[in-house]
Amino acid sequence: MVGMDLNLRGQSVTRVCFDAALTLLTSAGYEVRVETDASVQAPGGDLVPFDPESPGATTVRLVSLVRDAVTSAEVGCAGDLLISFESGTELTVAPNSDYEAWGLVGPNGSRVACMPGGEIARWSEQ
C-alpha cells in the first residue's frame, strides 16, 4: 500500500489525554489514539522515544502540542504514522507486531487503524 494522507492538515490540537494510551483531539473533532511505543521530536531536538502508558519526561513536550496546528498527518507504506506540527514538532508511531499501534476516529464515525503487523484497516462512517 502506498502512503495515505489522513487529512488533518490545518486542524489544531485541542486536548492531549493520557490514560493507557496517548490521545490527541483536534479542532475538527478527530481523535488520534497512540497505543504502542512512539517517539516525539522537537524542532532541532533529538528523537525521544516514549511509552504512551508512562510517557515520563516527554509529557511536557506532548502537552505543548495543545493549540499547535497539524501541517501533515500521513501513514507510510509499513503502517507507520507521522504527524508534523506547525511548531516543527513531529510525532511518529511505528507499527507493532502484537498490538494495534494507533487509530484515528473521525467526527463522522470513520476510522483508520494500524493493525498488528502494520496492516491498515479502514471503516467508513455509519
Side-chain angles (χ1 to χ4, degrees):
M1 175 182 145
V2 193
M4 172 175 56
D5 186 344
L6 294 177
N7 299 314
L8 299 179
R9 185 178 293 108
Q11 297 179 40
S12 57
V13 175
T14 56
R15 195 180 313 162
V16 176
C17 307
F18 301 95
D19 50 25
L22 164 69
T23 305
L24 303 178
L25 301 172
T26 74
S27 52
Y30 284 82
E31 179 179 296
V32 179
R33 191 163 167 88
V34 176
E35 300 189 38
T36 59
D37 291 352
S39 56
V40 64
Q41 184 166 18
D46 293 331
L47 189 65
V48 181
F50 68 93
D51 174 351
E53 283 190 48
S54 52
T58 58
T59 302
V60 173
R61 237 179 244 194
L62 296 166
V63 168
S64 73
L65 293 175
V66 171
R67 291 189 289 285
D68 206 346
V70 175
T71 54
S72 73
E74 296 180 344
V75 181
C77 25
D80 47 310
L81 173 66
L82 173 62
I83 303 177
S84 301
F85 298 90
E86 236 167 42
S87 65
T89 299
E90 291 187 341
L91 176 67
T92 312
V93 188
N96 184 289
S97 54
D98 301 316
Y99 303 102
E100 190 174 293
W102 59 266
L104 172 75
V105 179
N108 56 5
S110 61
R111 288 190 63 204
V112 179
C114 179
M115 305 307 284
E119 181 187 346
I120 299 300
R122 300 175 76 169
W123 299 265
S124 20
E125 59 273 7
Q126 308 304 324

